[in-house]
Amino acid sequence: MSEDEDLSEEIVREQAMIVVEGLRKSIRNGARTVEILRGLDFSVPRGEFVAIMGASGSGKSTLLGLLAGLDTPSAGDVRLNGTAISYLPEDRLAQVRGQTVGFVFQSYQLIPTLTALENVLLVHELNAEGDGKPRARQLLTSVGLGDRMDHYPVQLSGGEQQRVALARAFVMRPPIVLADEPTGNLDTTNGALVLKLLLELNRMEGTTLLLVTHDATLAECANRRIVLRDGLIISDEMNEDRQTPAGTAAGV
């Protein structure tokens, strides 16, 4: 690679919202060491929508946990919006994570004793000052829950709970949203609605979106698809035939 190409690649990486360098994760299992991730390198530009795919055991969820700062790599590093996060002290990591990343879990992870509005507000209260209610109400209304804000999770369907989780992920206006099988626990109709809402929020908020999925239909909506196998990237391609979910504005 020429010096100019080296410089160009470095500029791209510096401007990227997510940068992964030499990322490895291994665990001890008795006398054996199990290599889950075996040295990943990639970057994600601002505003890109990336789908991470692969069979069970390929390392998808482990990668997402490392990107979110929920786990520590065995080697390598993750940079989010220019900040290296993998070895930060816990208090500093929590601060960066709270300001930088919104997370959508497959199993919703709502607090059962809090209403929909309170679940969304909690993230704001932990990470920001001022009144977060207008923002939380606006987001819940935008996902079709304007009349369900005072309901508890047990009073909501699975699709409604995941819509609360979407609002919670965006309440801090994070530059990055990570999603772990966001439609995995939903039926086809609710899954399609949640995907549509996720992409609309992502477009309106201008976030960088990275999600883990085994759903080929969902992955077809991404700008780019990264495929893992046995802890390695075996494919990293732009999606030239990107699909738009029904009911979603073109260009999302």
Side-chain angles (χ1 to χ4, degrees):
M1 185 178 291
S2 69
E3 184 176 335
D4 287 344
E5 288 174 326
D6 282 338
L7 179 59
S8 177
E9 182 175 338
E10 182 60 29
I11 290 173
V12 168
R13 292 175 77 82
E14 286 180 356
Q15 294 176 343
M17 188 57 66
I18 301 172
V19 177
V20 172
E21 295 180 323
L23 197 63
R24 293 179 174 271
K25 182 64 179 181
S26 61
I27 58 172
R28 295 287 297 176
N29 184 9
R32 296 175 56 235
T33 298
V34 179
E35 298 284 346
I36 302 174
L37 297 177
R38 299 192 286 155
L40 305 188
D41 294 277
F42 66 90
S43 60
V44 180
R46 184 183 302 272
E48 192 167 72
F49 170 18
V50 179
I52 303 290
M53 304 189 71
S56 296
S58 61
K60 304 187 304 297
S61 293
T62 298
L63 172 59
L64 204 66
L66 292 171
L67 293 179
L70 300 175
D71 196 3
T72 303
S74 302
D77 203 2
V78 172
R79 292 207 305 272
L80 301 181
N81 199 17
T83 300
I85 68 163
S86 297
Y87 309 102
L88 287 177
E90 183 55 40
D91 56 345
R92 174 60 178 148
L93 175 60
Q95 181 184 40
V96 172
R97 189 166 51 219
Q99 297 288 337
T100 307
V101 178
F103 205 103
V104 183
F105 299 89
Q106 179 178 350
S107 54
Y108 324 137
Q109 298 292 331
L110 302 181
I111 297 175
T113 56
L114 300 181
T115 65
L117 179 61
E118 289 167 342
N119 266 283
V120 176
L121 271 174
L122 182 61
V123 175
H124 185 277
E125 291 171 351
L126 291 173
N127 295 286
E129 298 180 354
D131 185 6
K133 279 188 178 180
R135 169 71 172 170
R137 290 182 181 278
Q138 175 258 318
L139 284 167
L140 284 169
T141 299
S142 73
V143 296
L145 295 175
D147 60 346
R148 309 282 278 173
M149 295 186 194
D150 295 327
H151 287 64
Y152 292 90
V154 71
Q155 298 172 304
L156 302 173
S157 69
E160 288 171 333
Q161 290 186 59
Q162 192 61 301
R163 283 186 268 161
V164 174
L166 292 184
R168 180 182 59 190
F170 284 90
V171 72
M172 287 296 297
R173 293 186 171 88
I176 298 167
V177 170
L178 305 176
D180 186 6
E181 299 279 9
T183 62
N185 282 351
L186 304 177
D187 60 37
T188 302
T189 300
N190 278 302
L193 175 60
V194 164
L195 174 59
K196 170 179 168 297
L197 292 170
L198 174 60
L199 297 188
E200 286 180 347
L201 281 171
N202 190 61
R203 174 179 58 84
M204 290 187 294
E205 298 290 330
T207 55
T208 301
L209 174 62
L210 188 147
L211 61 81
V212 160
T213 185
H214 67 277
D215 185 342
T217 301
L218 192 159
E220 286 172 358
C221 300
N223 301 112
R224 175 179 168 198
R225 287 174 289 196
I226 296 175
V227 181
L228 301 183
R229 181 187 296 163
D230 298 328
L232 294 170
I233 294 174
I234 63 166
S235 175
D236 183 350
E237 298 178 340
M238 300 303 295
N239 185 8
E240 303 296 340
D241 300 317
R242 187 182 183 197
Q243 301 297 309
T244 301
T248 304
V252 172

